[in-house]
Amino acid sequence: MKASILIAESAQDAASWLREELRSWGLLVRSANSVDQLRTSVSTEPTDIVLLDTALSPDGWPELLDELHQVRHALAIVVASASPDVRTAVEAMRRGAFDYVQKPYDLSELQVILNRAVGLAKMHRELEALRRGQVKCAGLLGVSPAMAQVFAVVEKIARSPYTTVLITGESGTGKELVARAIHNASEGVSGPFVAISCTAFQETLLESELFGHERGAFTDARERKLGLFEVADGGTLFLDEIGDMDLKVQGKLLRALEEKAIRRVGGTQAIRINVRVIAATNRDLEHLVREGRFREDLYYRLRVVPIHLPPLRERVEDIPLLANEFLREFATQFGKAMQGFTPQAMEVLTSYPWPGNVRELRNVIERIVLLEECQWIDVPNLPRELLAHTGHASPREPLPGPLSDQALWRLPYREAKGRIIEDFERRYLIGLLHAHQGNVTRAAAAAGIPRGSLQRLLRKHGLRSETFRRDGNR
Ligand SMILES: Nc1ncnc2c1ncn2[C@@H]1O[C@H](COP(=O)(O)OP(=O)(O)OP(=O)(O)O)[C@@H](O)[C@H]1O
Ligand SMILES: [Mg+2]
């Protein structure tokens, strides 16, 4: 890919011969002969290098340099000046110019400088591509249209490091992961990713947690304490469960966002902060606004860029990808040689409604990999709750073998005991119903337990009495 250079030069004739010359060096060349043209050109077209003649804006060029860098932070700006004043060169370098050249141009000198700038532009492009890859590598996976849209938005807001984002979605849909992906992908971010759950603190504690406090601000404030806004400076502050934030703290947060500054509790001095705030909630904020429990102005201030993560059951296309990825991850972790899922097992996975969303899917796969000994995960290897839901539990399916001792002791005691009991219950119920041909009343009498209890047990294990009738029709 050719590097593109913009010649910003007020003298028309100088610009035109330079254009030809630079083209012959293999560059994509455009030119601008006014500050306005330069601004528009840089912000609307891909530009790697700007050759900026100070004569284009004799007084304003230093600020122009800052402005251009803000539009494209990786832009290499070569400042050219006809005045042999060393202060111009110093000022240019101080403002982050890539280099400085004296006019009239010495072509061989210019060529050396531009070659270096092209090298830098290439490196920036590679970095950019890497970073884009990282959005996904941050572990965020998805092939559904909904996730494709999320990726596109993440990529866009990565370029504006202080835009506020509001992420909504049911529990376990990946809100925090998306927040981390935004942070990882963001340009020019030097600070950390700091997460706090607004649920975990009482009003006053949350306030001092976020904004810090001065010594003596309240009884327990023996020392000055930095708030998370200050800790996250230059990075991202992730406010989880924002719907639980108290109204007073909401007001303070709104002020911080609008002023880009905070005041510590008990402090008077405004402290400037450069932080991207990402808020998340699984509650219906609009509803909270209507009920007067969430400030409407803050709601609109937060949702400058809204991202909604639909529940997993509404993006079934993502399930095979996620399931296989989690399988690979846990198989490596536990040293198991599992290959994948049978089509029937995958059908169960994709028809289960996943109330706990991706988190639940991940946990289920972890459990299977830990407990089962098989090469291909098939229907009987899946947990009961999935089979129950999709009506797959039937006596015709082979029972999963008893837990190997090895698998057993890897589990916490309670869970291991629970598994054994579950295994026992299921085997007992299947045998019992089989013997009584699906007649629940007789089966309950024979087992010596109330009919209602037997029915509850059957439901728990996803067993249906009809499947045990002699004719065998499900
Ligand atoms: N798209 C995805 N790709 C890979 N892993 C995912 C994805 N979405 C979620 N996960 C995984 O699912 C689990 C839950 O995700 P996360 O903690 O981000 O959810 P959440 O929406 O913040 O949930 P909660 O509302 O309960 O806090 C994590 O282990 C996360 O890595
Ligand atoms: Mg979360």
Side-chain angles (χ1 to χ4, degrees), residues 139-142 147 169-178 238 240-241 281-282 309 315 322 326 358-359 362:
L140 190 62
L141 302 167
M147 285 307 290
E170 286 180 10
S171 177
T173 46
K175 296 184 293 294
E176 178 154 357
L177 203 58
V178 168
F238 178 57
D240 208 356
E241 306 305 342
T281 180
N282 52 24
L309 292 171
R315 44 184 168 111
L322 289 166
F326 295 149
V358 187
R359 179 180 293 114
R362 199 180 143 87

Side-chain angles (χ1 to χ4, degrees), residues 17-18 25 101-113:
W17 76 260
L18 200 56
W25 297 351
V101 289
Q102 183 74 47
K103 285 178 82 173
Y105 295 112
D106 171 344
L107 283 183
S108 57
E109 182 197 6
L110 191 61
Q111 194 167 20
V112 170
I113 292 174

Side-chain angles (χ1 to χ4, degrees), residues 4 20 42 45 64 95-96 101 109-110 114 117 137 145 156 168 170 199 201 209 216 233 264 343 353 359 374 381 431:
S4 71
E20 292 316 310
V42 166
E45 285 171 79
L64 189 57
R95 298 261 176 178
V101 289
E109 182 197 6
L110 191 61
L114 293 187
C137 291
K156 273 202 198 106
T168 52
E170 286 180 10
T199 315
F201 295 90
E209 201 63 30
D233 200 25
R264 298 194 189 114
R359 179 180 293 114
C374 58
N381 303 113

Side-chain angles (χ1 to χ4, degrees), residues 257-410:
L257 290 172
E258 292 194 328
E259 294 172 4
K260 293 188 192 319
I262 55 130
R263 276 176 194 79
R264 298 194 189 114
V265 177
T268 46
Q269 190 200 349
I271 301 161
R272 277 196 63 81
I273 37 134
N274 288 312
V275 172
R276 183 200 304 270
V277 170
I278 303 181
T281 180
N282 52 24
R283 305 179 62 178
D284 181 354
L285 280 190
E286 268 175 42
H287 179 74
L288 293 182
V289 167
R290 276 196 303 273
E291 285 193 329
R293 287 195 286 155
F294 202 86
R295 289 182 67 129
E296 189 172 15
D297 43 9
L298 178 61
Y299 172 63
Y300 287 109
R301 183 64 192 72
L302 287 174
R303 55 164 294 155
V304 175
V305 179
I307 296 182
H308 179 67
L309 292 171
L312 191 55
R313 62 187 166 277
E314 286 173 20
R315 44 184 168 111
V316 175
E317 310 94 293
D318 289 336
I319 294 176
L321 172 74
L322 289 166
N324 278 301
E325 191 52 40
F326 295 149
L327 174 64
R328 204 172 26 222
E329 182 188 331
F330 291 118
T332 311
Q333 191 178 325
F334 302 137
K336 296 274 188 103
M338 286 175 180
Q339 303 284 311
F341 301 85
T342 64
Q344 293 78 9
M346 194 49 87
E347 204 185 300
V348 175
L349 292 182
T350 49
S351 50
Y352 180 67
W354 299 109
N357 293 295
V358 187
R359 179 180 293 114
E360 185 185 8
L361 174 62
R362 199 180 143 87
N363 292 342
V364 161
I365 305 291
E366 178 178 12
R367 215 164 90 198
I368 295 173
V369 176
L370 187 65
L371 298 177
E372 303 294 319
E373 306 293 339
C374 58
Q375 199 176 8
W376 292 91
I377 296 170
D378 200 359
V379 174
N381 303 113
L382 301 176
R384 313 271 185 281
E385 67 265 25
L386 267 67
L387 299 180
H389 229 286
T390 46
H392 261 80
S394 111
R396 273 182 247 125
E397 276 148 16
L399 282 173
L403 277 175
S404 71
D405 285 352
Q406 244 216 342
L408 201 59
W409 67 254
R410 284 179 205 256

Side-chain angles (χ1 to χ4, degrees), residues 164-234:
T164 315
V165 184
L166 177 65
I167 308 175
T168 52
E170 286 180 10
S171 177
T173 46
K175 296 184 293 294
E176 178 154 357
L177 203 58
V178 168
R180 284 180 192 276
I182 293 172
H183 175 77
N184 290 347
S186 292
E187 287 174 4
V189 161
S190 54
F193 178 90
V194 176
I196 178 175
S197 163
C198 302
T199 315
F201 295 90
Q202 291 173 314
E203 165 194 335
T204 48
L205 278 181
L206 180 63
E207 186 180 354
S208 95
E209 201 63 30
L210 287 175
F211 303 102
H213 57 71
E214 294 294 346
R215 196 172 154 206
F218 42 88
T219 339
D220 288 335
R222 296 214 180 79
E223 297 294 332
R224 159 191 284 182
K225 179 180 141 95
L226 286 193
L228 294 183
F229 262 105
E230 285 175 84
V231 175
D233 200 25

